[in-house]
Amino acid sequence: DAGITQSPRHKVTETGTPVTLRCHQTENHRYMYWYRQDPGHGLRLIHYSYGVKDTDKGEVSDGYSVSRSKTEDFLLTLESATSSQTSVYFCAIRASSYEQYFGPGTRLTVT
Amino acid sequence: GQQVMQIPQYQHVQEGEDFTTYCNSSTTLSNIQWYKQRPGGHPVFLIQLVKSGEVKKQKRLTFQFGEAKKNSSLHITATQTTDVGTYFCASAGLNYGGSQGNLIFGKGTKLSVKP
């Protein structure tokens, strides 16, 4: 699975608290992605990165920020979590033929 | 913007029956990718099609890319319980580079198989 790990795997947090999710890859891929997956909506792109310190917004970026200070780590931050951000979050990398490989996911519940 | 529509949303089959999911776009696609997500799991890349009219097979799975590159299908012959999951199609933008290489996903077809 392209050496992608996500942490934490599960998290329950309260509305208004900040939350940071971490994605770690071991194979030096340039492109990394954060998606959220919700019933009826499929996979929606939140933010992506095309290199260290190079990031851009995706389809559903409001309420989220990202950072990439090292090639191997891509962090997703919810500055002030809301119940609408309860979701499953997947990190992915882009491989050489443009296919993507996903991490195991983080299930986030905001109460 | 580019969109890919996937049908059906759900499909329930008896083990041994065939299954097909379709992916359609109003615009020409540069490529189509297929992913499978098992219940509780993460999406797993299956295959990529690039050429007009391309057909690829993986054991009981047959993938097709339409002649006009506006549609694609995944057909499973003689389904097994191990085929259970959600199948997604996805397409990257026409220019591949930068944000154009980002994937647009269909909403998926959820397959259940009754033993």
Side-chain angles (χ1 to χ4, degrees):
Chain A
D1 287 330
I4 305 166
T5 57
Q6 293 184 232
S7 59
R9 295 292 314 279
H10 301 271
K11 187 169 182 66
V12 180
T13 191
E14 293 184 348
T15 298
T17 59
V19 177
T20 295
L21 309 182
R22 179 181 183 241
C23 178
H24 180 79
Q25 57 136 336
T26 60
E27 299 185 0
N28 220 31
H29 294 283
R30 180 184 172 194
Y31 283 83
M32 298 183 74
Y33 303 86
W34 277 107
Y35 294 90
R36 61 177 290 173
Q37 185 174 42
D38 306 287
H41 291 279
L43 287 156
R44 292 183 291 174
L45 181 64
I46 305 172
H47 281 279
Y48 68 100
S49 170
Y50 46 96
V52 172
K53 292 188 168 57
D54 292 323
T55 65
D56 207 347
K57 297 178 180 179
E59 177 189 358
V60 291
S61 59
D62 287 349
Y64 301 95
S65 62
V66 290
S67 66
R68 192 164 177 204
S69 58
K70 298 185 291 184
T71 299
E72 57 265 36
D73 289 325
F74 191 30
L75 303 181
L76 176 71
T77 298
L78 290 65
E79 302 289 349
S80 177
T82 67
S83 58
S84 65
Q85 294 176 311
T86 292
S87 186
V88 179
Y89 291 85
F90 288 103
C91 172
I93 60 91
R94 183 202 290 182
S96 57
S97 298
Y98 295 89
E99 71 272 25
Q100 293 187 12
Y101 294 93
F102 288 78
T106 294
R107 184 171 295 276
L108 176 68
T109 303
V110 184
T111 60
Chain B
Q2 181 177 300
Q3 286 187 320
V4 286
M5 307 301 292
Q6 201 171 344
I7 55 170
Q9 190 174 359
Y10 301 96
Q11 186 78 56
H12 308 283
V13 300
Q14 191 79 32
E15 188 172 22
E17 293 181 339
D18 291 357
F19 159 76
T20 304
T21 174
Y22 301 90
C23 190
N24 300 299
S25 172
S26 58
T27 60
T28 303
L29 302 171
S30 58
N31 60 79
I32 196 82
Q33 298 179 11
W34 287 93
Y35 293 78
K36 176 183 178 181
Q37 185 176 22
R38 295 181 186 274
H42 58 276
V44 174
F45 173 75
L46 294 176
I47 209 160
Q48 177 168 247
L49 305 173
V50 178
K51 299 176 183 176
S52 169
E54 190 170 12
V55 178
K56 289 187 177 180
K57 293 190 176 184
Q58 289 179 350
K59 299 182 180 178
R60 294 178 294 102
L61 279 61
T62 301
F63 304 85
Q64 292 188 318
F65 201 8
E67 292 290 343
K69 300 182 75 173
K70 289 186 176 182
N71 56 73
S72 180
S73 65
L74 159 58
H75 179 83
I76 302 178
T77 302
T79 56
Q80 299 175 358
T81 55
T82 54
D83 296 323
V84 164
T86 301
Y87 293 84
F88 294 95
C89 63
S91 183
L94 283 172
N95 296 321
Y96 275 111
S99 65
Q100 295 298 313
N102 294 349
L103 293 178
I104 304 297
F105 282 85
K107 292 188 178 181
T109 296
K110 187 173 183 179
L111 172 65
S112 60
V113 179
K114 187 175 181 181

